[in-house]
Amino acid sequence: DLDHNDSDDRLAIVLLAYQMASANLARRAKAPTAECTLLLDGRTYENSGLTVWRTVRLAVRLHALLFKRCGLAVAPIFSDAQ
């Protein structure tokens, strides 16, 4: 993000999460236990404490809202797994 304003990025993430949750609800009509995961890649911002905090907070809130009812898990990623 060149403008260093992550508000528009967070809005895009929220919209994507709700689109994915809606699609998974449609899948649950045929497979009631269907789940999907949205991974929030924060590796670019690992050195920015405030952005990391906002990303984690957004992931936790979206997960709490959408996992139980819609089957959408939201998880932040900050380091490459080796």
Side-chain angles (χ1 to χ4, degrees), residues 6 16 25 45 49-50 63-64 68 71-72 74 77-78 80:
D6 63 335
L16 176 61
L25 280 175
Y45 304 108
L50 183 58
H63 184 85
K68 190 172 186 177
L72 176 67
V74 182
I77 297 176
F78 290 105
D80 290 323

Side-chain angles (χ1 to χ4, degrees), residues 19-41:
Q19 287 175 334
M20 289 179 67
S22 176
N24 200 58
L25 280 175
R27 287 177 55 209
R28 283 185 161 198
K30 294 182 180 178
T33 59
E35 294 179 354
C36 60
T37 303
L38 171 59
L39 300 174
L40 299 183
D41 189 351

Side-chain angles (χ1 to χ4, degrees), residues 56-67:
V56 170
R57 191 173 69 178
L58 180 60
V60 168
R61 285 183 177 179
L62 287 171
H63 184 85
L65 287 169
L66 300 173
F67 184 71

Side-chain angles (χ1 to χ4, degrees), residues 3 5 13 29 39 44 50 53-54 68 79:
D3 62 3
N5 178 356
I13 291 166
L39 300 174
T44 302
L50 183 58
W53 170 248
R54 287 178 177 164
K68 190 172 186 177
S79 294

